[in-house]
Amino acid sequence: MDGSFALNSVAAQDDFGFRGVHVSTVATQALTTAYYNGPAIAHRYFNGCSDGGREAMVEAEVYPDDFDGIIAGDPALGDLIAGFNWNDQVLFKTPHSWLPPQKLTTLDAAVMANCDAADGQVDNLIQDPRKCTFDPASLLCPKGESEVEAFNDPSCLTRQQVAAVRAIYQGPVTNTGVQTYPGFTQSDPAPGTSGDGWNAWITGDFTPALPKPADGEPWGQPPASFATAPAQWSFGDQFLKFFVFSDPDYDSFKFNINNPTNLKPFQKAVRLGGGDGVNPDLTPFLLTNHAKLIMYHGWSDPALTPLETVKYYQTMVSETFAGDQSTAAGSARLFMVPGMHHCGGGPGPQINFFQWIFELDGWVAFGIAPDSIVATSATRTMPLCAYPETAHYVSGPIDSASSWKCE
């Protein structure tokens, strides 16, 4: 999480943003060819998740000749740091805005009760959280409680916490109505058995200094804070300090998306060399080189909103394939994973990291495109469908993939 390597180093920022994977790829493919005495490499694949997913998309967009097939999981696309900072700002707007982990469990249960049946089946799995109509105001603490009592009551939310949750769902929007990064989905915010819900990424497991301290470091000074702060805080704070403003003492709470002197250097740093990974024109990679792309994202990702990946895929279909979804599916497919947190974890059935390579190899080497992929958990199996299709229950045991179909 330490971003100090980038301080005043254009080369280091270039390597992290867009160049490092490419030059490493050129070198390792040359080494591989030399080691095996020269036969041509049959197929070259890239498989990455999170920032690795962003690296995957940068490879496809900026260096389309590096790989024959690419897997981009839960990719860190676009202005995600603006989304991180937005969440930080709303959680520290007042001393009673931050959410402790116990309240995430209450929020999670209320969301599940409201949204589970939206897909037609009550099975403790939210297939598509975009269908949720949950209002966090339904958890507002009783009027008789003081603000301190309400803050310490794990069964309800303070009015400030209600506002914070709504803002996290909404995502950062400028005063002129420009959405700089989509909000986060409602499904599965609690830590659960995997421990990696909103607590790990957005809100934190450890109580910060409330109200926020004068030095702008509510979990203490880095690098010690990396062990206690939520990951969004650490990543966002480090990026602003070392990539954007070149100031180790920069106070992230002062960042303002409505201030051009803040926004312009931020966007320059994020988009350096195409490092934001959102160029929707994949013509060289998919159409000229006939390569294949598999994208996937957990619908309950608390680290990087899945809505950004859906938006990118839709825009890519429009720009590269003139909006023809069926033609696009011959080259690029997106699989949304219900109940999955960031690159794994969460309550939903999932795909093994290496299973994605098996699916990609079948497509590239043998022309077998993955129409659906069976995800598994300890208690059920479920088909993951190529977007925009989703799984619909037909008949039989609800916890069996054979009882569902993609349509």
Side-chain angles (χ1 to χ4, degrees):
M1 294 188 181
D2 189 344
S4 61
F5 71 90
L7 182 62
N8 297 320
S9 174
V10 175
Q13 293 182 22
D14 286 353
D15 282 339
F16 180 83
F18 66 93
R19 188 177 60 191
V21 171
H22 169 66
V23 296
S24 300
T25 294
V26 172
T28 53
Q29 290 183 10
L31 286 169
T32 303
T33 300
Y35 181 81
Y36 289 102
N37 297 317
I41 297 173
H43 302 297
R44 304 159 302 160
Y45 302 144
F46 186 100
N47 185 12
C49 196
S50 190
D51 192 64
R54 180 192 65 84
E55 293 166 3
M57 295 311 302
V58 172
E59 279 293 300
E61 295 162 15
V62 183
Y63 303 105
D65 298 327
D66 281 358
F67 294 97
D68 308 301
I70 285 176
I71 302 160
D74 294 24
L77 303 179
D79 293 341
L80 64 145
I81 300 298
F84 292 1
N85 184 263
W86 172 273
N87 292 344
D88 298 330
Q89 301 259 12
V90 300
L91 286 167
F92 286 89
K93 188 173 184 179
T94 76
H96 299 121
S97 298
W98 180 75
L99 282 82
Q102 299 90 330
K103 298 221 177 193
L104 295 181
T105 301
T106 299
L107 177 63
D108 188 287
V111 169
M112 184 62 71
N114 177 271
C115 303
D116 189 12
D119 57 12
Q121 298 298 318
V122 178
D123 58 353
N124 291 316
L125 185 65
I126 298 172
Q127 289 285 343
D128 185 347
R130 295 175 300 178
K131 296 180 180 179
C132 289
T133 59
F134 171 73
D135 184 354
S138 63
L139 290 174
L140 192 63
C141 291
K143 291 183 178 180
E145 289 189 338
S146 68
E147 286 193 355
V148 173
E149 289 173 332
F151 182 78
N152 292 320
D153 187 344
S155 68
C156 60
L157 301 180
T158 68
R159 55 187 175 83
Q160 298 95 332
Q161 289 168 335
V162 168
V165 171
R166 283 174 171 167
I168 292 169
Y169 291 163
Q170 173 187 294
V173 179
T174 68
N175 290 339
T176 58
V178 176
Q179 181 102 43
T180 59
Y181 188 69
F184 283 77
T185 56
Q186 297 182 348
S187 56
D188 308 307
T193 57
S194 56
D196 59 351
W198 281 22
N199 59 304
W201 289 93
I202 300 175
T203 56
D205 283 309
F206 298 89
T207 304
L210 297 169
K212 62 179 181 282
D215 66 358
E217 297 288 352
W219 282 276
Q221 290 291 329
S225 62
F226 298 155
T228 56
Q232 283 193 4
W233 168 263
S234 296
F235 283 129
D237 185 53
Q238 292 288 295
F239 190 85
L240 292 174
K241 279 177 165 62
F242 297 111
F243 282 80
V244 180
F245 298 110
S246 300
D247 180 3
D249 297 319
Y250 181 77
D251 182 351
S252 295
F253 285 116
K254 294 181 179 179
F255 181 74
N256 185 352
I257 59 174
N258 295 299
N259 184 342
T261 61
N262 284 184
L263 190 60
K264 288 181 179 179
F266 166 76
Q267 291 178 333
K268 179 182 178 181
V270 170
R271 296 167 188 173
L272 180 69
D276 55 350
V278 293
N279 181 358
D281 185 4
L282 294 183
T283 299
F285 181 68
L286 296 177
L287 300 183
T288 303
N289 292 349
H290 304 289
K292 304 300 182 186
L293 172 66
I294 292 177
M295 302 182 74
Y296 68 89
H297 208 129
W299 266 128
S300 300
D301 190 342
L304 304 165
T305 176
L307 301 179
E308 179 73 6
T309 297
V310 171
K311 182 180 75 171
Y312 172 82
Y313 183 79
Q314 292 172 332
T315 306
M316 182 275 296
V317 171
S318 177
E319 293 292 323
T320 304
F321 298 95
D324 187 335
Q325 177 63 54
S326 60
T327 301
S331 300
R333 299 193 176 191
L334 168 64
F335 294 87
M336 301 304 294
V337 189
M340 188 175 85
H341 283 163
H342 187 56
C343 299
Q350 297 165 34
I351 299 292
N352 180 281
F353 188 77
F354 297 99
Q355 178 69 16
W356 293 110
I357 300 177
F358 176 83
E359 299 293 343
L360 180 67
D361 185 53
W363 198 3
V364 173
F366 304 102
I368 304 173
D371 292 323
S372 66
I373 306 171
V374 175
T376 62
S377 71
T379 59
R380 70 182 301 170
T381 57
M382 168 69 65
L384 304 182
C385 306
Y387 187 88
E389 291 188 344
T390 57
H392 294 261
Y393 177 73
V394 181
S395 63
I398 202 168
D399 57 359
S400 173
S402 61
S403 302
W404 299 72
K405 67 176 181 178
C406 294
E407 60 182 22

